[in-house]
Each structure stands twice: as C-alpha cells, then as structure tokens.
Amino acid sequence: AQTVTQSQPEMSVQEAETVTLSCTYDTSESDYYLFWYKQPPSRQMILVIRQEAYKQQNATENRFSVNFQKAAKSFSLKISDSQLGDAAMYFCACISNFGNEKLTFGTGTRLTIIP
Amino acid sequence: DGGITQSPKYLFRKEGQNVTLSCEQNLNHDAMYWYRQDPGQGLRLIYYSQIVNDFQKGDIAEGYSVSREKKESFPLTVTSAQKNPTAFYLCASSIVRGGPRETQYFGPGTRLLVL
C-alpha cells in the first residue's frame, strides 16, 4: 500500500515570486510514478507534472519543476514566477507500476497568490 | 476536441432515490475511474474499469454501482444505500491501467447534494 503526505494545508506567495510545495510518500515498490495535479476553483483536476521513479532527472514543465529525492521519498513542486492563475489546490499523487495499486492522493495544499 | 465530459454539473437527490452520474470520454482510453472528493480530503477511488464489461471496486464502493457497456462511457449510480452521498464526484480515464500510460485525466466533476 502507498501513502502520500502533504504537510502544508495552505501556502501563499507573492505574485512573480517562487514557491515550493512539499510532498512525501511511502511505497514498497521500486518502480512507480509521481504526479502533481492542480484543482482550481472550477474543481477540475489538471495534470501539472509527472515523474517516473526510475528517472533521476527532475521533471520540468515550463514554470513548474520538481525536486525528486528518491531515497528520502520526497517529491516537492516548485512554481517559478507565480501568476494569479496558479491559485488552486495542489495534490500530490503516487501509483505503482505493478499489480493493481491505485493512484493514491495526498490531502492537498491550498496555494494563494498575493497580487 | 478530445476530453472527458460529466453531466450534470449539479445533481440533487431525494432520500431513498437512486441517481446516475454520467461520464463520457472520446480519448479512446481503455481505463476509466470514479472518485469521490469530500472537503479537506484528497480523492478516494470508488470504482474503476480496465475494459468493457469489467470493473472492480475501489476503496469506498459500498452504496455505489457502475456499468461499462461501451468503451467511452462509465456511468455511476449512487444508490439509496449510500447514506452520505453529498460530495464532489470526479471521473477520470487513462490509456491503460498501470505502467507508463497510467496518467489519469479528469472530467469537470459533478456536485451531488441531498435534499
């Protein structure tokens, strides 16, 4: 079984600044995938970024990047040049590459952008 | 336009009534999922289906039922046995279940309220 922990219920950042959201996970598998999803006020879940555990290189998507520390089971999301449209709930999630493991979500971090 | 549609956006249920939430995808994805989201919590898996005419229970299947008669459709019925159905329901799909193509994409959601 997997667990995902997001220890920051709320975060805020000044517009144009950089913010890092934390996520730790636990899994017994060696091959798995990690995700960050964004849920804006519309409540639709939008994929932000994906990381494959067997890849050492940190994933990057435009202003979004991750710091993947496999030994520490840490998967933080960095948002650079924060924009008002980044305001949302952010969920970290994990799934094993084997068997019938489900996509396990953390409880989310609410990000507020201060103009 | 490829994507996942859910209807209705809002649904009201009377005591003892069964209601059905619609989920349709035109992404040609094999796997489909239903999640429930309660305030302050992450997503919890209700049911999933990897192929037509086959589906499996998730973590909180009691009080819910599904069918998968067509690849593109995965309706969820909230039965009268579900005593606390008020929640936000999200449908998702992925190319296949498991492996590198597991990435799940979500619909806009249905908000279910009990009258």
Side-chain angles (χ1 to χ4, degrees):
Chain A
Q2 301 152 160
T3 59
V4 177
T5 302
Q6 293 180 250
S7 59
Q8 306 156 315
E10 297 184 355
M11 291 281 286
S12 61
V13 63
Q14 205 81 28
E15 192 176 3
E17 296 296 311
T18 295
V19 64
T20 298
L21 308 183
S22 300
C23 172
T24 57
Y25 61 93
D26 193 19
T27 177
S28 57
E29 300 291 344
S30 59
D31 192 8
Y32 51 89
Y33 298 86
L34 297 162
F35 305 87
W36 278 99
Y37 283 91
K38 167 185 176 181
Q39 188 177 41
S42 67
R43 301 199 71 177
Q44 180 160 6
M45 296 286 281
I46 301 165
L47 178 67
V48 175
I49 201 163
R50 188 182 91 156
Q51 176 78 41
E52 296 164 19
Y54 63 88
K55 289 187 177 179
Q56 292 187 349
Q57 186 173 7
N58 289 324
T60 300
E61 287 287 342
N62 300 314
R63 298 183 295 107
F64 298 87
S65 61
V66 298
N67 183 5
F68 174 46
Q69 301 289 328
K70 191 171 183 178
K73 293 184 177 176
S74 171
F75 183 61
S76 59
L77 176 69
K78 186 172 83 171
I79 306 173
S80 304
D81 185 26
S82 298
Q83 300 176 0
L84 294 177
D86 295 333
M89 285 288 289
Y90 286 82
F91 291 93
C92 180
C94 175
I95 189 165
S96 167
N97 193 26
F98 298 100
N100 284 319
E101 289 287 350
K102 62 182 178 6
L103 185 61
T104 301
F105 288 85
T107 52
T109 296
R110 181 174 301 281
L111 178 64
T112 300
I113 311 297
I114 303 167
Chain B
D1 255 352
I4 303 172
T5 58
Q6 290 186 243
S7 62
K9 188 173 182 179
Y10 296 96
L11 185 58
F12 299 91
R13 193 191 91 164
K14 295 180 182 179
E15 292 289 338
Q17 186 182 39
N18 292 354
V19 293
T20 298
L21 285 61
S22 170
C23 177
E24 304 273 337
Q25 55 97 359
N26 61 3
L27 301 168
N28 200 31
H29 285 175
D30 284 317
M32 297 186 74
Y33 313 80
W34 274 105
Y35 291 92
R36 171 177 170 143
Q37 186 179 29
D38 293 284
Q41 298 190 29
L43 277 64
R44 293 185 291 168
L45 184 64
I46 305 172
Y47 269 99
Y48 66 94
S49 169
Q50 301 182 66
I51 196 169
V52 173
N53 292 324
D54 187 50
F55 47 83
Q56 284 79 41
K57 294 181 179 179
D59 295 326
I60 55 167
E62 185 174 352
Y64 300 96
S65 66
V66 294
S67 63
R68 187 91 186 273
E69 297 177 1
K70 298 186 296 183
K71 184 176 183 178
E72 59 270 22
S73 178
F74 191 42
L76 173 74
T77 296
V78 184
T79 74
S80 57
Q82 173 48 245
K83 297 306 179 188
N84 184 23
T86 296
F88 188 63
Y89 291 86
L90 285 157
C91 178
S93 71
S94 62
I95 295 176
V96 295
R97 191 168 191 280
R101 293 176 291 175
E102 165 67 42
T103 301
Q104 294 183 23
Y105 298 92
F106 287 80
T110 292
R111 177 79 171 142
L112 176 60
L113 298 166
V114 177
L115 295 176

